[in-house]
Amino acid sequence: MLEGAFGLLGAVERAGDAGLTRLAADCGLPKTTAYRLLEQLVDVGAVERFAGGYRVGPRMFSLGQRWQPHPGLRPAAREPARRLAQVTDAMVGVSVLWEGQTLVVEWTSSTPDDVRDRLRDEVTWPWRTAAGKVLVAGAHPRLPLGPLPATWQREAKAIRDQGVAFDREELVAGVCCVAVPLTGFGGSPVAALCVVTDPAHRLDRLADVVQRAGRTISARLRGGAL
């Protein structure tokens, strides 16, 4: 029963909102079983009814806000990320690797605009974001990512040496990104801090301020001086 319920939750998340027939088909469940499980999920607030279908409910949002991919990551990053967003007038994200993708744990922005609003709606991206590159470069070599670009080993070494990764409109036209690793005890990356901006900005100039913020957050994660 739990497997079926979580399967339906995943189908609802992927669809955004969908009707019973589609959700049952996506999960390979009889409609009667899917209906019973969906109604149970509605009862606990994990799913809510919407325009004749279902969508993710407020309980999942509440639980998601409490998820910590690394102990203390969110509180350690919140204030430095807010200051970084103000200084750069850009969108700041904290990300981790999840199932071979870049998962955004938290977005911070000083002044929203259309691009930032659109990006904020997306919480998972291919690992090839700047934040993903930083994490993959420092990850276990057998991380399941599929075929890697022929130039990746050289790029990964440069990222480790410089402590920063860049995305120059590689995933989204008009969107560039600078990312640095956030390290815990032992110096291994546990998350990434990134600044999202437009091609008019010099990414190499942004790198220094992002690295300073990253060092502050990393010190907080290790319980060091702020």
Side-chain angles (χ1 to χ4, degrees), residues 62-173:
S62 175
L63 290 173
Q65 294 301 301
R66 290 174 172 80
W67 178 62
Q68 291 282 355
H70 183 79
L73 175 60
R74 274 183 157 149
R78 190 162 292 130
E79 182 58 24
R82 185 189 67 80
R83 292 198 301 266
L84 183 60
Q86 290 177 334
V87 168
T88 60
D89 189 28
M91 193 166 175
V92 175
V94 175
S95 305
V96 296
L97 281 179
W98 180 72
E99 295 186 351
Q101 292 185 300
T102 306
L103 173 64
V104 182
V105 177
E106 197 151 289
W107 283 119
T108 303
S109 181
S110 58
T111 54
D113 59 25
D114 290 343
V115 172
R116 295 173 192 178
D117 287 344
R118 188 171 75 249
L119 292 175
R120 191 182 287 109
D121 290 339
E122 299 292 336
V123 294
T124 57
W125 295 86
W127 73 266
R128 298 181 306 280
T129 62
K133 289 178 184 179
V134 158
L135 294 170
V136 173
H140 193 284
R142 291 196 295 272
L143 191 69
L145 298 171
L148 295 171
T151 59
W152 171 245
Q153 292 303 323
R154 184 169 66 253
E155 184 177 2
K157 183 180 185 304
I159 290 170
R160 290 192 295 269
D161 291 345
Q162 299 168 14
V164 63
F166 301 100
D167 173 357
R168 294 179 171 88
E169 300 185 82
E170 295 169 31
L171 289 178
V172 180

Side-chain angles (χ1 to χ4, degrees), residues 12 15-20 23 38-39 42 46-58:
V12 172
D17 59 77
L20 172 63
L23 293 171
L38 284 165
E39 289 301 307
V42 167
V47 167
E48 64 182 10
R49 300 182 194 89
F50 174 72
Y54 297 89
R55 65 183 181 187
V56 174

